[in-house]
């Protein structure tokens, strides 16, 4: 089991054919149009996120411009736009932070195809988690209290 939950909206999984197998792209299937693709990662109680990595790319001869925003809760921490112009090269991004500076329990990823064909793909999400710093202290305190009771 992974130590976080995932919710998503307006992402289409590509199973091959004309796109790279396994990527997701922002697309509203009901209205057949570009859409903001949304992924929310919520750490389990007592855990926080420490890092996020991902790959993004275009596809072959298709023109597309993709924009991604990443939020820690409601605070925007990443805002990047890529012009793929028919380029299918994977671009890798890694974000890491000090858990003492950021207590990140919610990551919101937003991807939109700003122009052109909807062939900007998101792939290979790598997510790091650890027990929350306060949770470790609480566990240590609880362990200490248990050992005191046994001695009494």
């Amino acid at each position: 089991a992974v130590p976080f939950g995932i919710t998503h909206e307006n992402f289409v999984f590509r199973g091959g054919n004309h796109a790279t197998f396994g990527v997701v792209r922002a697309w509203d299937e009901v209205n057949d149009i570009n859409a903001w693709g949304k992924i929310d990662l919520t750490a389990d109680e007592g855990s926080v996120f420490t890092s996020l990595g991902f790959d993004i790319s275009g596809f072959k001869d298709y023109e597309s411009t993709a924009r991604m925003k990443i939020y820690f809760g409601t605070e925007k921490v990443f805002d990047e736009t890529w012009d793929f112009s028919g380029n299918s090269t994977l671009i890798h991004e890694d974000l890491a932070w000090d858990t003492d500076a950021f207590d990140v329990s919610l990551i919101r990823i937003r991807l939109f195809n700003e122009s052109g064909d909807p062939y900007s793909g998101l792939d290979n999400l790598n997510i790091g988690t650890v027990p929350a710093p306060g949770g470790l202290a609480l566990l240590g305190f609880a362990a200490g209290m248990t050992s005191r009771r046994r001695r009494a």
Side-chain angles (χ1 to χ4, degrees):
V2 294
F4 56 88
I6 301 173
T7 58
H8 60 88
E9 181 181 340
N10 291 331
F11 268 106
V12 177
F13 177 81
R14 299 306 305 166
N17 298 332
H18 65 279
T20 305
F21 182 83
V23 302
V24 293
R25 61 185 176 103
W27 187 252
D28 178 347
E29 287 187 300
V30 173
N31 297 305
D32 201 30
I33 58 172
N34 283 335
W36 275 102
K38 303 174 183 181
I39 298 175
D40 290 345
L41 307 168
T42 307
D44 287 351
E45 188 174 334
S47 295
V48 293
F49 294 108
T50 58
S51 62
L52 172 67
F54 59 89
D55 292 334
I56 189 161
S57 69
F59 178 70
K60 292 186 182 176
D61 299 323
Y62 292 94
E63 300 293 323
S64 63
T65 302
R67 182 172 187 186
M68 180 181 284
K69 298 179 184 180
I70 298 175
Y71 299 84
F72 293 166
T74 58
E75 182 180 348
K76 184 170 40 175
V77 297
F78 184 89
D79 190 344
E80 186 73 36
T81 301
W82 299 275
D83 179 8
F84 292 110
S85 298
N87 185 348
S88 60
T89 302
L90 283 176
I91 297 170
H92 183 77
E93 296 282 349
D94 277 315
L95 305 174
W97 49 91
D98 181 357
T99 55
D100 291 333
F102 291 100
D103 182 6
V104 181
S105 58
L106 173 62
I107 297 175
R108 296 173 183 245
I109 301 170
R110 304 296 183 254
L111 176 65
F112 184 72
N113 293 298
E114 296 258 300
S115 65
D117 295 303
Y119 291 112
S120 302
L122 177 64
D123 199 5
N124 298 323
L125 283 176
N126 294 303
I127 302 152
T129 62
V130 296
L136 287 175
L138 187 59
L139 286 174
F141 176 75
M145 292 305 290
T146 303
S147 65
R148 283 187 179 179
R149 288 184 189 169
R150 289 184 184 159
R151 283 189 228 150

